[in-house]
């Protein structure tokens, strides 16, 4: 087998593994929705190097908001439980991302805007900007936005008070 064939096969295996993670997660979440008597559709995708699963609802249902919780706290817990369910089935640690009712997508857009504004401020003042403490997901989105704006950033502090500092070029 040539090296090219090996890497292509590994890439295919990775996609299959991520699709399998999505399927396991979807089954787990469908069971959860049934138990909670909530309506929602499951959407699965592969984004980069991780499975992404979303629970969406046709109606402007407030029911799914219960699964998001205050500032996404319940969503984070459900994501962790879903990752554990995938781990139990596959034996592999999962980096699956869960979104419910578009909460994470909206949060990503807000954080991207925050990162761009902080980068603009640093460009105009030449001084570092320190942001409020954030979760690992939130920090990653901000770091990506700052990098796209041509600046660098780093995380400082200890969880749960870890925060992003945007630095001059």
């Amino acid at each position: 087998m040539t090296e090219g064939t090996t890497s292509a096969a590994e890439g295919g295996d990775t996609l299959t593994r991520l699709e399998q993670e999505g399927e396991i997660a979807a089954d787990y979440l469908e069971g959860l929705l049934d138990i909670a008597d909530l309506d929602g559709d499951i959407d699965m995708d592969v984004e980069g190097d991780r499975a992404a699963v979303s629970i969406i609802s046709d109606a402007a249902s407030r029911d799914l908001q219960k699964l998001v919780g205050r500032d996404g706290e319940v969503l984070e817990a459900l994501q962790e439980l879903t990752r554990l369910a995938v781990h139990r089935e596959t034996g592999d640690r999962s980096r699956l991302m869960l979104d419910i009712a578009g909460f994470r997508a909206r949060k990503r857009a807000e954080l991207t805007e925050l990162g761009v504004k902080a980068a603009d401020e640093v460009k105009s003042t030449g001084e570092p900007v320190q942001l409020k403490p954030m979760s690992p997901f939130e920090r990653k989105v901000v770091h990506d936005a700052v990098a796209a704006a041509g600046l660098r950033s780093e995380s400082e502090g200890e969880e749960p008070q870890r925060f992003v500092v945007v630095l001059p070029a």
Side-chain angles (χ1 to χ4, degrees):
M1 192 182 293
T2 66
E3 279 186 38
T5 307
T6 302
S7 63
E10 288 170 0
D13 290 347
T14 300
L15 188 58
T16 303
R17 181 180 56 79
L18 294 176
E19 289 170 343
Q20 179 190 17
E21 284 186 17
E23 292 285 340
I24 294 166
D27 290 345
Y28 176 78
L29 292 166
E30 282 177 6
L32 184 76
L33 289 173
D34 286 345
I35 291 168
D37 195 28
L38 296 172
D39 290 326
D41 295 320
I42 310 286
D43 183 39
M44 294 177 297
D45 200 4
V46 173
E47 295 177 3
D49 61 346
R50 61 176 57 181
V53 179
S54 300
I55 301 175
I56 52 180
S57 179
D58 292 336
S61 172
R62 297 186 58 74
D63 287 346
L64 288 183
Q65 292 306 313
K66 295 174 188 173
L67 297 179
V68 173
R70 189 183 72 223
D71 202 31
E73 290 173 340
V74 177
L75 169 60
E76 290 293 331
L78 287 174
Q79 176 175 276
E80 210 44 49
L81 288 172
T82 305
R83 287 177 173 177
L84 287 171
V86 170
H87 176 75
R88 187 184 66 223
E89 291 287 321
T90 65
D92 295 327
R93 185 175 167 273
S94 173
R95 296 181 59 235
L96 175 129
M97 288 294 289
L98 175 64
D99 193 4
I100 299 174
F103 174 83
R104 207 177 286 276
R106 286 189 301 279
K107 189 80 167 173
R108 180 174 283 139
E110 291 169 11
L111 290 165
T112 298
E113 185 177 332
L114 176 67
V116 168
K117 284 181 179 177
D120 288 346
E121 182 179 337
V122 169
K123 285 177 182 175
S124 69
T125 66
E127 296 295 317
V129 170
Q130 178 178 315
L131 301 176
K132 66 178 178 54
M134 298 177 191
S135 71
F137 162 77
E138 293 169 328
R139 291 193 310 269
K140 167 85 169 90
V141 174
V142 172
H143 285 306
D144 290 348
V146 169
L151 293 181
R152 61 188 187 88
S153 58
E154 51 190 44
S155 294
E156 295 182 5
E158 298 293 324
E159 294 293 352
Q161 297 300 312
R162 200 152 166 80
F163 58 90
V164 173
V165 177
V166 182
L167 303 163

